[in-house]
Amino acid sequence: FLKVLSHIDSILRSPRAPPLIYRRSKGPVQNYTKENGQECGFEHLPLTIEMWADQLMALKDLHRSLRKLSLELMPWHTADPQDNRESIRVEDLQFIVDAILEEIENKEKNSQTQSLQTLSAIVSHFQKLFDVSSLNGVYPRMNEVYTKLGEMTNAMRNLHELLELDSSAPPTVVVDTVGKLCDIINKNVTEQVQQLLGTQDIHSIINKLEEHERFFPPFQALIQDLLCLLEIRNLDDILPVVQNLK
């Protein structure tokens, strides 16, 4: 028994042994004596061994949880036939954790690569849509498009208000409404011209215009000659001067 205790004591005093499992007895608990007469304190050792047993069981549970997480993240990895073995080492857990971390890092790198590819595709598409030949012209064209978009938005908002349309009305409705308004205005102008000329027939309008072209030049020449002959400047003075001549 003393040899066993001596062997345990040598293990506990080893540099590799945790300092927690060896300490001197501070109470009236009986101490065992080694062959060389030195004291050894093992009164807390059963509790430590029980704690180790619990930790070993928890180690198996942790290993099972890590394996489950690993299969969720890496379903293509098949189960290790040694997963069901009784003894689980810390190295096994560390291996699973390292594999998971490596997989996460690879996914992050792949996602960054995909993001760069997506951004490159977006920039190329913008260049095609807005006829930008170089990357240096992308930002100026973006600013130009933003400015034009703001102007168009303000114009559409003003048209909605002027035409008393709902703000949700699409541009096609705005264009149709403006077209109808222009038709109404053109129709009114035509009617006013017809009323002014006293005819509803377009051919009559043309005839009246032709008569005007035939009559007006000689009449204008006659008036100019009268103004020069009577030495006056205003049309209103022609009649009084002619009356005085009578």
Side-chain angles (χ1 to χ4, degrees):
F1 179 73
L2 293 178
K3 290 182 179 180
V4 173
L5 293 180
S6 177
H7 183 63
I8 293 175
D9 185 61
S10 63
I11 294 176
L12 297 180
R13 291 178 179 274
S14 171
R16 297 178 57 187
L20 174 66
I21 63 175
Y22 179 81
R23 61 175 178 265
R24 292 290 183 181
S25 175
K26 297 182 180 180
V29 181
Q30 180 182 1
N31 294 326
Y32 297 96
T33 305
K34 292 175 48 177
E35 291 179 347
N36 57 6
Q38 295 180 356
E39 294 181 350
C40 297
F42 302 105
E43 63 275 6
H44 69 288
L45 190 56
L47 296 177
T48 302
I49 294 175
E50 290 179 2
M51 180 190 68
W52 282 4
D54 294 337
Q55 293 297 316
L56 289 175
M57 293 301 296
L59 200 63
K60 292 182 180 181
D61 295 337
L62 178 59
H63 181 265
R64 190 180 304 108
S65 299
L66 287 176
R67 282 299 304 168
K68 185 177 180 180
L69 176 61
S70 176
L71 292 176
E72 288 289 336
L73 295 176
M74 301 174 290
W76 56 88
H77 286 187
T78 57
D80 190 345
Q82 298 182 356
D83 286 346
N84 296 324
R85 62 178 181 267
E86 291 296 329
S87 60
I88 302 297
R89 300 174 303 175
V90 176
E91 290 83 353
D92 300 329
L93 303 181
Q94 187 64 45
F95 176 79
I96 297 176
V97 172
D98 291 341
I100 294 175
L101 291 176
E102 183 179 359
E103 180 64 21
I104 293 175
E105 291 176 357
N106 291 334
K107 284 186 177 181
E108 290 179 352
K109 291 180 181 178
N110 292 334
S111 63
Q112 292 176 357
T113 303
Q114 293 176 359
S115 298
L116 291 176
Q117 293 175 352
T118 303
L119 291 175
S120 177
I122 293 174
V123 172
S124 299
H125 188 61
F126 180 88
Q127 289 182 262
K128 291 179 181 179
L129 288 178
F130 298 99
D131 193 23
V132 183
S133 59
S134 64
L135 291 177
N136 293 332
V138 170
Y139 281 109
R141 185 57 58 87
M142 281 185 176
N143 294 332
E144 181 181 352
V145 170
Y146 178 78
T147 302
K148 295 296 183 182
L149 179 61
E151 294 176 354
M152 185 190 70
T153 302
N154 292 332
M156 292 298 295
R157 186 185 300 111
N158 293 333
L159 285 174
H160 279 92
E161 294 178 357
L162 291 174
L163 299 175
E164 297 182 354
L165 296 175
D166 188 79
S167 59
S168 61
T172 53
V173 175
V174 176
V175 174
D176 292 341
T177 305
V178 172
K180 293 178 181 178
L181 183 61
C182 291
D183 292 339
I184 294 174
I185 294 174
N186 292 333
K187 184 178 179 181
N188 291 336
V189 170
T190 302
E191 292 177 352
Q192 291 175 3
V193 171
Q194 291 175 349
Q195 293 176 0
L196 178 64
L197 298 177
T199 178
Q200 301 296 326
D201 187 3
I202 187 65
H203 294 289
S204 298
I205 297 175
I206 294 174
N207 292 333
K208 288 184 176 294
L209 291 175
E210 290 177 351
E211 292 175 359
H212 177 269
E213 290 180 356
R214 290 193 302 269
F215 169 77
F216 186 75
F219 177 76
Q220 184 180 18
L222 175 62
I223 295 300
Q224 291 294 335
D225 292 341
L226 286 174
L227 292 175
C228 292
L229 180 63
L230 299 175
E231 296 180 353
I232 56 178
R233 296 182 178 180
N234 298 322
L235 292 176
D236 297 335
D237 296 334
I238 293 177
L239 185 59
V241 172
V242 171
Q243 290 176 348
N244 292 332
L245 292 175
K246 292 173 62 176

